[in-house]
Amino acid sequence: MSNTWRESRSRPATVGVALGLLLVLSPAAPARPDNVVELHGLCFRSPVAFSNPKPVGLDAVMVVHPPEADAQSERFSLTAVHFPLVVTDTKAGMTPAELRDYMATVFLAGQAKAGTPIQRRLLENVVDGLAFSTPVPAPSFAEVYALRLQNRETVVLGFKFLSDWRSEAQSLINAIAASLRECNSGHQP
């Protein structure tokens, strides 16, 4: 046997090892459709791909669709803000309505007082929410919900989507709502 033949037989293995190492060492890939997405202890399955969660403020993370989109080109975003008990269960604590207003104003560029009450089934409960529109950064709609977790802490979810993507967004929110679970509760979405 020639050395050339032996070398050519070992190249696929070398290439395979190199590709595997590259995958292990590269940053995590964006969430693909039907993969579990986790935000502040909440998990869901999505029929569309999302970006990796990225921090957008104190105790706030966001995923966007399409995964590579910037603020000007995203069609859909989901922001999750975690609030510990000290923020919600003290005498001066914030109510669910105040938490929704805070999310709408601070993270979604909305005017909370101009919103409309809405309800959606999340975490197996009917949850009060707030729906509103905003022109920033493009004409968009948003929905905000404050979810009380089993540990009594709260995560506020803010869905935001382009006006011309409303039908697709409602289908996506329905899919997320149907599979939304607490990750640590033993129930996988």
mmCIF file of all heavy atoms in Angstrom, residues 41-81:
data_model
loop_
_atom_site.group_PDB
_atom_site.id
_atom_site.type_symbol
_atom_site.label_atom_id
_atom_site.label_comp_id
_atom_site.label_asym_id
_atom_site.label_seq_id
_atom_site.Cartn_x
_atom_site.Cartn_y
_atom_site.Cartn_z
ATOM 1 N N GLY A 41 -35.871 30.420 33.935
ATOM 2 C CA GLY A 41 -36.568 29.292 34.550
ATOM 3 C C GLY A 41 -37.832 28.871 33.848
ATOM 4 O O GLY A 41 -38.509 27.944 34.280
ATOM 5 N N LEU A 42 -38.185 29.537 32.759
ATOM 6 C CA LEU A 42 -39.324 29.138 31.939
ATOM 7 C C LEU A 42 -38.794 28.532 30.643
ATOM 8 O O LEU A 42 -37.845 29.059 30.058
ATOM 9 C CB LEU A 42 -40.214 30.341 31.617
ATOM 10 C CG LEU A 42 -40.907 30.984 32.812
ATOM 11 C CD1 LEU A 42 -41.608 32.268 32.379
ATOM 12 C CD2 LEU A 42 -41.905 30.018 33.436
ATOM 13 N N CYS A 43 -39.403 27.434 30.209
ATOM 14 C CA CYS A 43 -38.989 26.757 28.983
ATOM 15 C C CYS A 43 -40.190 26.633 28.051
ATOM 16 O O CYS A 43 -41.325 26.504 28.502
ATOM 17 C CB CYS A 43 -38.475 25.349 29.292
ATOM 18 S SG CYS A 43 -37.003 25.312 30.310
ATOM 19 N N PHE A 44 -39.904 26.645 26.759
ATOM 20 C CA PHE A 44 -40.949 26.423 25.767
ATOM 21 C C PHE A 44 -40.324 25.870 24.494
ATOM 22 O O PHE A 44 -39.120 25.955 24.289
ATOM 23 C CB PHE A 44 -41.735 27.712 25.464
ATOM 24 C CG PHE A 44 -40.898 28.812 24.867
ATOM 25 C CD1 PHE A 44 -40.733 28.918 23.492
ATOM 26 C CD2 PHE A 44 -40.292 29.757 25.681
ATOM 27 C CE1 PHE A 44 -39.970 29.940 22.941
ATOM 28 C CE2 PHE A 44 -39.536 30.782 25.144
ATOM 29 C CZ PHE A 44 -39.370 30.871 23.767
ATOM 30 N N ARG A 45 -41.165 25.296 23.658
ATOM 31 C CA ARG A 45 -40.747 24.836 22.332
ATOM 32 C C ARG A 45 -41.268 25.839 21.321
ATOM 33 O O ARG A 45 -42.374 26.339 21.443
ATOM 34 C CB ARG A 45 -41.302 23.461 22.019
ATOM 35 C CG ARG A 45 -40.672 22.369 22.859
ATOM 36 C CD ARG A 45 -41.005 20.998 22.305
ATOM 37 N NE ARG A 45 -40.348 19.973 23.070
ATOM 38 C CZ ARG A 45 -39.106 19.551 22.863
ATOM 39 N NH1 ARG A 45 -38.392 20.067 21.894
ATOM 40 N NH2 ARG A 45 -38.583 18.607 23.603
ATOM 41 N N SER A 46 -40.446 26.102 20.309
ATOM 42 C CA SER A 46 -40.835 27.080 19.297
ATOM 43 C C SER A 46 -40.827 26.449 17.909
ATOM 44 O O SER A 46 -39.890 25.741 17.562
ATOM 45 C CB SER A 46 -39.859 28.254 19.322
ATOM 46 O OG SER A 46 -40.114 29.087 18.217
ATOM 47 N N PRO A 47 -41.833 26.749 17.097
ATOM 48 C CA PRO A 47 -41.834 26.266 15.717
ATOM 49 C C PRO A 47 -40.919 27.083 14.797
ATOM 50 O O PRO A 47 -40.733 26.725 13.642
ATOM 51 C CB PRO A 47 -43.298 26.397 15.301
ATOM 52 C CG PRO A 47 -43.831 27.487 16.163
ATOM 53 C CD PRO A 47 -43.080 27.419 17.462
ATOM 54 N N VAL A 48 -40.353 28.185 15.296
ATOM 55 C CA VAL A 48 -39.404 28.980 14.508
ATOM 56 C C VAL A 48 -38.102 29.112 15.291
ATOM 57 O O VAL A 48 -38.084 28.960 16.513
ATOM 58 C CB VAL A 48 -39.944 30.396 14.163
ATOM 59 C CG1 VAL A 48 -41.262 30.314 13.400
ATOM 60 C CG2 VAL A 48 -40.086 31.252 15.404
ATOM 61 N N ALA A 49 -37.035 29.416 14.597
ATOM 62 C CA ALA A 49 -35.740 29.584 15.255
ATOM 63 C C ALA A 49 -35.657 30.928 15.960
ATOM 64 O O ALA A 49 -36.163 31.931 15.457
ATOM 65 C CB ALA A 49 -34.621 29.473 14.218
ATOM 66 N N PHE A 50 -35.021 30.931 17.116
ATOM 67 C CA PHE A 50 -34.756 32.144 17.880
ATOM 68 C C PHE A 50 -33.258 32.321 18.059
ATOM 69 O O PHE A 50 -32.491 31.354 17.997
ATOM 70 C CB PHE A 50 -35.387 32.068 19.278
ATOM 71 C CG PHE A 50 -36.840 32.406 19.328
ATOM 72 C CD1 PHE A 50 -37.786 31.420 19.523
ATOM 73 C CD2 PHE A 50 -37.260 33.714 19.198
ATOM 74 C CE1 PHE A 50 -39.124 31.735 19.584
ATOM 75 C CE2 PHE A 50 -38.600 34.044 19.256
ATOM 76 C CZ PHE A 50 -39.542 33.053 19.451
ATOM 77 N N SER A 51 -32.856 33.542 18.345
ATOM 78 C CA SER A 51 -31.471 33.812 18.717
ATOM 79 C C SER A 51 -31.194 33.189 20.078
ATOM 80 O O SER A 51 -32.113 32.766 20.780
ATOM 81 C CB SER A 51 -31.239 35.326 18.800
ATOM 82 O OG SER A 51 -32.006 35.866 19.874
ATOM 83 N N ASN A 52 -29.942 33.157 20.455
ATOM 84 C CA ASN A 52 -29.601 32.799 21.824
ATOM 85 C C ASN A 52 -30.111 33.912 22.733
ATOM 86 O O ASN A 52 -30.167 35.069 22.328
ATOM 87 C CB ASN A 52 -28.083 32.698 21.988
ATOM 88 C CG ASN A 52 -27.538 31.472 21.320
ATOM 89 O OD1 ASN A 52 -28.155 30.416 21.342
ATOM 90 N ND2 ASN A 52 -26.374 31.605 20.727
ATOM 91 N N PRO A 53 -30.474 33.581 23.971
ATOM 92 C CA PRO A 53 -30.878 34.638 24.903
ATOM 93 C C PRO A 53 -29.729 35.628 25.110
ATOM 94 O O PRO A 53 -28.586 35.238 25.261
ATOM 95 C CB PRO A 53 -31.170 33.871 26.200
ATOM 96 C CG PRO A 53 -31.475 32.481 25.759
ATOM 97 C CD PRO A 53 -30.607 32.255 24.554
ATOM 98 N N LYS A 54 -30.072 36.910 25.065
ATOM 99 C CA LYS A 54 -29.050 37.931 25.304
ATOM 100 C C LYS A 54 -29.552 38.888 26.378
ATOM 101 O O LYS A 54 -30.740 39.219 26.425
ATOM 102 C CB LYS A 54 -28.689 38.666 24.021
ATOM 103 C CG LYS A 54 -29.844 39.329 23.324
ATOM 104 C CD LYS A 54 -29.419 39.930 21.993
ATOM 105 C CE LYS A 54 -30.638 40.354 21.209
ATOM 106 N NZ LYS A 54 -30.346 40.701 19.847
ATOM 107 N N PRO A 55 -28.653 39.328 27.253
ATOM 108 C CA PRO A 55 -29.063 40.264 28.303
ATOM 109 C C PRO A 55 -29.443 41.616 27.709
ATOM 110 O O PRO A 55 -28.789 42.103 26.796
ATOM 111 C CB PRO A 55 -27.818 40.393 29.187
ATOM 112 C CG PRO A 55 -26.721 39.664 28.527
ATOM 113 C CD PRO A 55 -27.253 38.963 27.329
ATOM 114 N N VAL A 56 -30.523 42.193 28.234
ATOM 115 C CA VAL A 56 -30.971 43.507 27.760
ATOM 116 C C VAL A 56 -31.230 44.457 28.916
ATOM 117 O O VAL A 56 -31.894 45.470 28.740
ATOM 118 C CB VAL A 56 -32.225 43.401 26.850
ATOM 119 C CG1 VAL A 56 -31.876 42.755 25.528
ATOM 120 C CG2 VAL A 56 -33.360 42.651 27.539
ATOM 121 N N GLY A 57 -30.719 44.132 30.073
ATOM 122 C CA GLY A 57 -30.888 44.976 31.243
ATOM 123 C C GLY A 57 -30.781 44.129 32.486
ATOM 124 O O GLY A 57 -30.617 42.908 32.411
ATOM 125 N N LEU A 58 -30.900 44.755 33.619
ATOM 126 C CA LEU A 58 -30.812 44.060 34.891
ATOM 127 C C LEU A 58 -31.894 42.986 34.967
ATOM 128 O O LEU A 58 -33.079 43.283 34.869
ATOM 129 C CB LEU A 58 -30.970 45.060 36.032
ATOM 130 C CG LEU A 58 -30.795 44.510 37.437
ATOM 131 C CD1 LEU A 58 -29.388 43.947 37.620
ATOM 132 C CD2 LEU A 58 -31.053 45.596 38.455
ATOM 133 N N ASP A 59 -31.484 41.737 35.111
ATOM 134 C CA ASP A 59 -32.398 40.590 35.198
ATOM 135 C C ASP A 59 -33.354 40.478 34.010
ATOM 136 O O ASP A 59 -34.469 39.983 34.150
ATOM 137 C CB ASP A 59 -33.188 40.621 36.508
ATOM 138 C CG ASP A 59 -32.330 40.289 37.705
ATOM 139 O OD1 ASP A 59 -31.363 39.508 37.549
ATOM 140 O OD2 ASP A 59 -32.604 40.804 38.794
ATOM 141 N N ALA A 60 -32.941 40.939 32.839
ATOM 142 C CA ALA A 60 -33.761 40.849 31.632
ATOM 143 C C ALA A 60 -32.968 40.160 30.522
ATOM 144 O O ALA A 60 -31.786 40.445 30.332
ATOM 145 C CB ALA A 60 -34.193 42.234 31.168
ATOM 146 N N VAL A 61 -33.638 39.257 29.814
ATOM 147 C CA VAL A 61 -33.048 38.591 28.656
ATOM 148 C C VAL A 61 -34.060 38.614 27.526
ATOM 149 O O VAL A 61 -35.268 38.743 27.752
ATOM 150 C CB VAL A 61 -32.609 37.138 28.956
ATOM 151 C CG1 VAL A 61 -31.442 37.090 29.920
ATOM 152 C CG2 VAL A 61 -33.763 36.312 29.486
ATOM 153 N N MET A 62 -33.547 38.479 26.297
ATOM 154 C CA MET A 62 -34.414 38.557 25.133
ATOM 155 C C MET A 62 -33.951 37.561 24.075
ATOM 156 O O MET A 62 -32.754 37.322 23.924
ATOM 157 C CB MET A 62 -34.376 39.973 24.550
ATOM 158 C CG MET A 62 -35.216 40.131 23.294
ATOM 159 S SD MET A 62 -35.309 41.856 22.704
ATOM 160 C CE MET A 62 -33.663 42.127 22.134
ATOM 161 N N VAL A 63 -34.907 36.991 23.341
ATOM 162 C CA VAL A 63 -34.641 36.214 22.138
ATOM 163 C C VAL A 63 -35.399 36.870 20.998
ATOM 164 O O VAL A 63 -36.446 37.497 21.223
ATOM 165 C CB VAL A 63 -35.048 34.725 22.285
ATOM 166 C CG1 VAL A 63 -34.159 34.014 23.286
ATOM 167 C CG2 VAL A 63 -36.510 34.571 22.653
ATOM 168 N N VAL A 64 -34.855 36.756 19.783
ATOM 169 C CA VAL A 64 -35.496 37.383 18.618
ATOM 170 C C VAL A 64 -35.607 36.394 17.466
ATOM 171 O O VAL A 64 -34.873 35.417 17.394
ATOM 172 C CB VAL A 64 -34.734 38.650 18.144
ATOM 173 C CG1 VAL A 64 -34.670 39.694 19.236
ATOM 174 C CG2 VAL A 64 -33.355 38.311 17.627
ATOM 175 N N HIS A 65 -36.528 36.684 16.588
ATOM 176 C CA HIS A 65 -36.701 35.948 15.335
ATOM 177 C C HIS A 65 -36.766 36.970 14.213
ATOM 178 O O HIS A 65 -37.488 37.949 14.343
ATOM 179 C CB HIS A 65 -37.995 35.124 15.354
ATOM 180 C CG HIS A 65 -38.265 34.485 14.028
ATOM 181 N ND1 HIS A 65 -37.576 33.377 13.598
ATOM 182 C CD2 HIS A 65 -39.093 34.834 13.034
ATOM 183 C CE1 HIS A 65 -37.996 33.058 12.391
ATOM 184 N NE2 HIS A 65 -38.926 33.927 12.025
ATOM 185 N N PRO A 66 -36.036 36.743 13.125
ATOM 186 C CA PRO A 66 -35.068 35.675 12.892
ATOM 187 C C PRO A 66 -33.847 35.808 13.803
ATOM 188 O O PRO A 66 -33.572 36.895 14.330
ATOM 189 C CB PRO A 66 -34.682 35.828 11.425
ATOM 190 C CG PRO A 66 -35.256 37.110 10.953
ATOM 191 C CD PRO A 66 -36.199 37.631 11.984
ATOM 192 N N PRO A 67 -33.129 34.685 13.994
ATOM 193 C CA PRO A 67 -32.040 34.657 14.974
ATOM 194 C C PRO A 67 -30.956 35.707 14.778
ATOM 195 O O PRO A 67 -30.398 36.190 15.750
ATOM 196 C CB PRO A 67 -31.450 33.249 14.819
ATOM 197 C CG PRO A 67 -32.528 32.445 14.212
ATOM 198 C CD PRO A 67 -33.339 33.378 13.376
ATOM 199 N N GLU A 68 -30.660 36.085 13.546
ATOM 200 C CA GLU A 68 -29.573 37.039 13.277
ATOM 201 C C GLU A 68 -30.050 38.488 13.263
ATOM 202 O O GLU A 68 -29.266 39.399 13.022
ATOM 203 C CB GLU A 68 -28.930 36.803 11.910
ATOM 204 C CG GLU A 68 -28.771 35.414 11.404
ATOM 205 C CD GLU A 68 -30.052 34.688 11.029
ATOM 206 O OE1 GLU A 68 -30.946 35.227 10.358
ATOM 207 O OE2 GLU A 68 -30.160 33.517 11.434
ATOM 208 N N ALA A 69 -31.317 38.707 13.498
ATOM 209 C CA ALA A 69 -31.904 40.044 13.340
ATOM 210 C C ALA A 69 -31.383 41.036 14.368
ATOM 211 O O ALA A 69 -31.118 40.697 15.507
ATOM 212 C CB ALA A 69 -33.423 39.957 13.447
ATOM 213 N N ASP A 70 -31.268 42.290 13.920
ATOM 214 C CA ASP A 70 -30.991 43.378 14.844
ATOM 215 C C ASP A 70 -32.326 44.068 15.143
ATOM 216 O O ASP A 70 -33.376 43.646 14.647
ATOM 217 C CB ASP A 70 -29.960 44.355 14.258
ATOM 218 C CG ASP A 70 -30.414 44.985 12.953
ATOM 219 O OD1 ASP A 70 -31.620 44.910 12.600
ATOM 220 O OD2 ASP A 70 -29.572 45.575 12.262
ATOM 221 N N ALA A 71 -32.305 45.109 15.932
ATOM 222 C CA ALA A 71 -33.547 45.784 16.343
ATOM 223 C C ALA A 71 -34.355 46.289 15.153
ATOM 224 O O ALA A 71 -35.579 46.388 15.231
ATOM 225 C CB ALA A 71 -33.224 46.936 17.284
ATOM 226 N N GLN A 72 -33.690 46.628 14.064
ATOM 227 C CA GLN A 72 -34.394 47.159 12.892
ATOM 228 C C GLN A 72 -35.018 46.061 12.030
ATOM 229 O O GLN A 72 -35.945 46.330 11.279
ATOM 230 C CB GLN A 72 -33.430 47.987 12.027
ATOM 231 C CG GLN A 72 -32.825 49.169 12.760
ATOM 232 C CD GLN A 72 -33.867 50.158 13.244
ATOM 233 O OE1 GLN A 72 -34.798 50.480 12.538
ATOM 234 N NE2 GLN A 72 -33.711 50.632 14.467
ATOM 235 N N SER A 73 -34.512 44.816 12.119
ATOM 236 C CA SER A 73 -34.996 43.771 11.212
ATOM 237 C C SER A 73 -35.680 42.600 11.909
ATOM 238 O O SER A 73 -36.124 41.676 11.234
ATOM 239 C CB SER A 73 -33.832 43.248 10.356
ATOM 240 O OG SER A 73 -32.824 42.677 11.167
ATOM 241 N N GLU A 74 -35.797 42.635 13.232
ATOM 242 C CA GLU A 74 -36.473 41.526 13.896
ATOM 243 C C GLU A 74 -37.968 41.585 13.621
ATOM 244 O O GLU A 74 -38.559 42.653 13.540
ATOM 245 C CB GLU A 74 -36.194 41.517 15.390
ATOM 246 C CG GLU A 74 -36.835 42.662 16.130
ATOM 247 C CD GLU A 74 -36.362 42.790 17.564
ATOM 248 O OE1 GLU A 74 -35.171 42.592 17.838
ATOM 249 O OE2 GLU A 74 -37.214 43.114 18.400
ATOM 250 N N ARG A 75 -38.562 40.420 13.449
ATOM 251 C CA ARG A 75 -40.001 40.334 13.240
ATOM 252 C C ARG A 75 -40.726 40.109 14.562
ATOM 253 O O ARG A 75 -41.877 40.483 14.726
ATOM 254 C CB ARG A 75 -40.319 39.181 12.291
ATOM 255 C CG ARG A 75 -39.876 39.420 10.893
ATOM 256 C CD ARG A 75 -40.401 38.307 9.997
ATOM 257 N NE ARG A 75 -39.827 38.459 8.683
ATOM 258 C CZ ARG A 75 -38.964 37.632 8.146
ATOM 259 N NH1 ARG A 75 -38.585 36.560 8.796
ATOM 260 N NH2 ARG A 75 -38.479 37.849 6.953
ATOM 261 N N PHE A 76 -40.024 39.438 15.492
ATOM 262 C CA PHE A 76 -40.645 39.008 16.734
ATOM 263 C C PHE A 76 -39.582 38.973 17.823
ATOM 264 O O PHE A 76 -38.450 38.559 17.569
ATOM 265 C CB PHE A 76 -41.217 37.595 16.541
ATOM 266 C CG PHE A 76 -41.977 37.050 17.711
ATOM 267 C CD1 PHE A 76 -43.357 37.154 17.769
ATOM 268 C CD2 PHE A 76 -41.331 36.393 18.748
ATOM 269 C CE1 PHE A 76 -44.065 36.626 18.843
ATOM 270 C CE2 PHE A 76 -42.029 35.865 19.824
ATOM 271 C CZ PHE A 76 -43.401 35.984 19.869
ATOM 272 N N SER A 77 -39.933 39.419 19.009
ATOM 273 C CA SER A 77 -39.015 39.283 20.146
ATOM 274 C C SER A 77 -39.813 38.847 21.368
ATOM 275 O O SER A 77 -41.015 39.101 21.473
ATOM 276 C CB SER A 77 -38.279 40.592 20.435
ATOM 277 O OG SER A 77 -39.165 41.567 20.924
ATOM 278 N N LEU A 78 -39.112 38.172 22.254
ATOM 279 C CA LEU A 78 -39.676 37.782 23.535
ATOM 280 C C LEU A 78 -38.676 38.196 24.602
ATOM 281 O O LEU A 78 -37.526 37.750 24.589
ATOM 282 C CB LEU A 78 -39.923 36.275 23.594
ATOM 283 C CG LEU A 78 -40.345 35.700 24.952
ATOM 284 C CD1 LEU A 78 -41.549 36.421 25.537
ATOM 285 C CD2 LEU A 78 -40.626 34.215 24.817
ATOM 286 N N THR A 79 -39.101 39.094 25.470
ATOM 287 C CA THR A 79 -38.262 39.579 26.562
ATOM 288 C C THR A 79 -38.816 39.021 27.866
ATOM 289 O O THR A 79 -40.030 39.010 28.079
ATOM 290 C CB THR A 79 -38.277 41.122 26.613
ATOM 291 O OG1 THR A 79 -37.863 41.631 25.339
ATOM 292 C CG2 THR A 79 -37.360 41.652 27.701
ATOM 293 N N ALA A 80 -37.907 38.544 28.719
ATOM 294 C CA ALA A 80 -38.291 38.018 30.027
ATOM 295 C C ALA A 80 -37.524 38.784 31.100
ATOM 296 O O ALA A 80 -36.302 38.904 31.023
ATOM 297 C CB ALA A 80 -37.985 36.530 30.118
ATOM 298 N N VAL A 81 -38.247 39.309 32.076
ATOM 299 C CA VAL A 81 -37.626 40.030 33.183
ATOM 300 C C VAL A 81 -37.990 39.306 34.477
ATOM 301 O O VAL A 81 -39.165 39.055 34.747
ATOM 302 C CB VAL A 81 -38.088 41.501 33.255
ATOM 303 C CG1 VAL A 81 -37.392 42.224 34.405
ATOM 304 C CG2 VAL A 81 -37.832 42.214 31.942
#
